[in-house]
Amino acid sequence: MAVTLAFDVYGTLIDTHGLVAMLKGMVGDRAAEFSRTWRERQLEYAFRRALMQNYVPFSVCTAQALDHTCTLYKTPLRPDQRTALLDAYRTLPAFPDVADGLARLRAAGFRLYAFSNGTKAAVRTLLDAAGIADLFLGVISTDDVRSFKPDPAVYSHFLGAAGATDAETWLVSSNPFDVIGALSAGWRAAWVRRSSEALFDPWGLAPTVTVTDLRDLAAAIAP
């Protein structure tokens, strides 16, 4: 059976900091810092909800993280600005290497799935807006099991939904917590190091491969 690749979406395929230019018109020169904090809180809220087993859709984590970040930075948004940001978050841009990298992997015979904390509808909207939806066999969401990565249950759910086994499945992610979660579940994992400043957690687990560009992934994981 062909190797299955489970692609994280937010931060790996889609640039979660793609709204910095928009944020500059709302929060000024702290836009990049604001965006980083928003993303950190979004993930933190997902982790905490998974641990508490108090699930809400990822979009709620995103909205609540935005509200927290506004309070932290003492930059209240008007209701129309808040709505505009959350609407724009549904159509964030893909990274420049994504379309070509995915096309090369598909041409090489890999089975490609999007695997995300976002709901299927939210992820399909993102992939459609980025023009890459047709490169995937499907979208598999942690929403199906009402939890978030790196809960072991979500990696198990992926295998069942994709009709794959852990021995033939790779996670592809820029998020170290996700890579470690997949490795802990018995998968192989490719870390997409999208910044030279990105650090991998010193947990005694290392990515199976590391790339900085998705266009290099097919060669890196070829048998």
Side-chain angles (χ1 to χ4, degrees):
M1 187 174 183
V3 171
T4 298
L5 303 182
F7 282 87
D8 174 62
V9 175
Y10 293 96
T12 301
L13 302 178
I14 301 298
D15 185 0
T16 54
H17 300 300
L19 300 183
V20 169
M22 187 176 182
L23 279 166
K24 282 184 179 178
M26 301 178 185
V27 304
D29 293 340
R30 301 183 78 185
E33 183 183 358
F34 185 102
S35 180
R36 286 193 297 271
T37 301
W38 183 10
R39 171 64 170 165
E40 289 166 0
R41 290 294 181 274
Q42 175 201 53
L43 291 173
E44 178 190 341
Y45 287 1
F47 298 155
R48 287 161 58 182
R49 286 189 174 278
L51 283 168
M52 293 188 297
Q53 299 181 5
N54 182 8
Y55 180 78
V56 296
F58 196 54
S59 59
V60 175
C61 296
T62 302
Q64 291 177 340
L66 174 60
D67 294 341
H68 176 90
T69 305
C70 287
T71 301
L72 179 67
Y73 284 80
K74 297 181 173 58
T75 53
L77 298 177
R78 299 192 311 267
D80 63 304
Q81 291 177 317
R82 181 181 185 273
T83 298
L85 279 172
L86 293 175
D87 284 348
Y89 208 90
R90 297 204 295 265
T91 55
L92 288 165
F95 288 104
D97 60 327
V98 167
D100 190 25
L102 294 175
R104 292 185 188 189
L105 288 160
R106 181 161 175 172
F110 294 100
R111 303 172 71 233
L112 276 55
Y113 284 88
F115 177 39
S116 178
N117 280 336
T119 64
K120 288 179 181 177
V123 172
R124 286 178 179 135
T125 296
L126 277 173
L127 301 180
D128 282 338
I132 56 176
D134 291 345
L135 294 169
F136 294 96
L137 294 174
V139 173
I140 298 173
S141 170
T142 69
D143 179 65
D144 295 338
V145 292
R146 298 180 63 80
S147 190
F148 296 111
K149 301 173 184 178
D151 182 345
V154 307
Y155 301 99
S156 177
H157 169 68
F158 177 91
L159 296 178
T165 66
D166 52 11
E168 64 195 10
T169 300
W170 286 69
L171 177 80
V172 183
S173 180
S174 67
N175 297 301
F177 74 85
D178 195 10
V179 172
I180 290 172
L183 292 169
S184 297
W187 297 17
R188 287 170 290 179
W191 181 35
V192 184
R193 193 181 186 200
R194 290 215 167 273
S195 166
S196 60
E197 298 178 357
L199 299 176
F200 201 81
D201 300 302
W203 284 27
L205 291 170
T208 315
V209 300
T210 298
V211 296
T212 58
D213 190 306
L214 279 182
R215 287 168 290 206
D216 298 329
L217 186 59
I221 65 178

